[in-house]
Amino acid sequence: MPFPPPPRTLLGPRRRSLLTSAAGAALLVGCSTGADDSGTTGGSESAAEHARARAATDSETLLQRYDAVLAAHPTLADRLDPLRAEVVRHTAAFGGNSSTPSATATASPSASATAVPATPSDALADLATAERALADRRAKALLELPGELARLLASVAAAGAAHAYLLTEGAK
């Protein structure tokens, strides 16, 4: 009597393990020995301040993209509001201006200047690309930063990677 075939198994890792692995890897890269946990080191204080300001500006720009997409495609509000709220928190964590109106409110004037694709699916893909590119830039910047700032940037980079995944996965 022949053995029954093995149960069908999915090829590759599952979504949850991918997100967990990406977040864990980003956090590990940002970890330090504790010697520079104050957030600054002797010669890198200005570099850390510059990196924090850059991260705040990047988050503000991403927030404007979310606002522009929501203004052009209000039907995406249920899907984008939670992700946008996270970007607002990231902006505030880096010391940026997070006092932007809610996602369902009217978009800021600078948000209307951002080009938005005509279809909701293209707009989601555009947002996912922006999130992924920013997460990649932030992950690369980790090696140059002191303790706490590196950990914060790692956490936000992991969140951005998760946002990109959620924006593309929902379309499938």
Side-chain angles (χ1 to χ4, degrees), residues 76-97:
L76 295 175
D78 288 343
R79 185 163 179 194
L80 296 182
D81 282 347
L83 301 178
R84 183 194 180 278
E86 287 295 315
V87 175
V88 167
R89 284 191 279 280
H90 298 160
T91 304
F94 290 120
N97 180 14

Side-chain angles (χ1 to χ4, degrees), residues 16-109:
R16 187 173 294 154
S17 63
L18 278 175
L19 290 176
T20 304
S21 298
L27 289 174
L28 285 176
V29 169
C31 289
S32 69
T33 60
D36 60 354
D37 282 349
S38 66
T40 61
T41 57
S44 66
E45 185 171 336
S46 63
E49 290 172 8
H50 177 55
R52 184 180 291 273
R54 171 68 191 245
T57 301
D58 287 345
S59 291
E60 290 168 356
T61 302
L62 184 61
L63 186 58
Q64 291 171 358
R65 288 183 90 129
Y66 271 91
D67 288 341
V69 169
L70 286 164
H73 304 288
T75 57
L76 295 175
D78 288 343
R79 185 163 179 194
L80 296 182
D81 282 347
L83 301 178
R84 183 194 180 278
E86 287 295 315
V87 175
V88 167
R89 284 191 279 280
H90 298 160
T91 304
F94 290 120
N97 180 14
S98 61
S99 61
T100 341
S102 70
T104 54
T106 59
S108 65

Side-chain angles (χ1 to χ4, degrees), residues 82-169:
L83 301 178
R84 183 194 180 278
E86 287 295 315
V87 175
V88 167
R89 284 191 279 280
H90 298 160
T91 304
F94 290 120
N97 180 14
S98 61
S99 61
T100 341
S102 70
T104 54
T106 59
S108 65
S110 58
S112 60
T114 304
V116 177
T119 65
S121 62
D122 288 345
L124 289 175
D126 186 55
L127 270 177
T129 300
E131 285 271 19
R132 191 174 302 108
L134 183 54
D136 290 346
R137 264 198 328 269
R138 287 176 169 168
K140 288 177 185 171
L142 289 174
L143 300 176
E144 307 298 322
L145 299 176
E148 286 302 315
L149 183 55
R151 284 186 277 280
L152 175 60
L153 199 63
S155 176
V156 174
H163 289 184
Y165 176 80
L166 292 171
L167 288 166
T168 56
E169 242 343 89

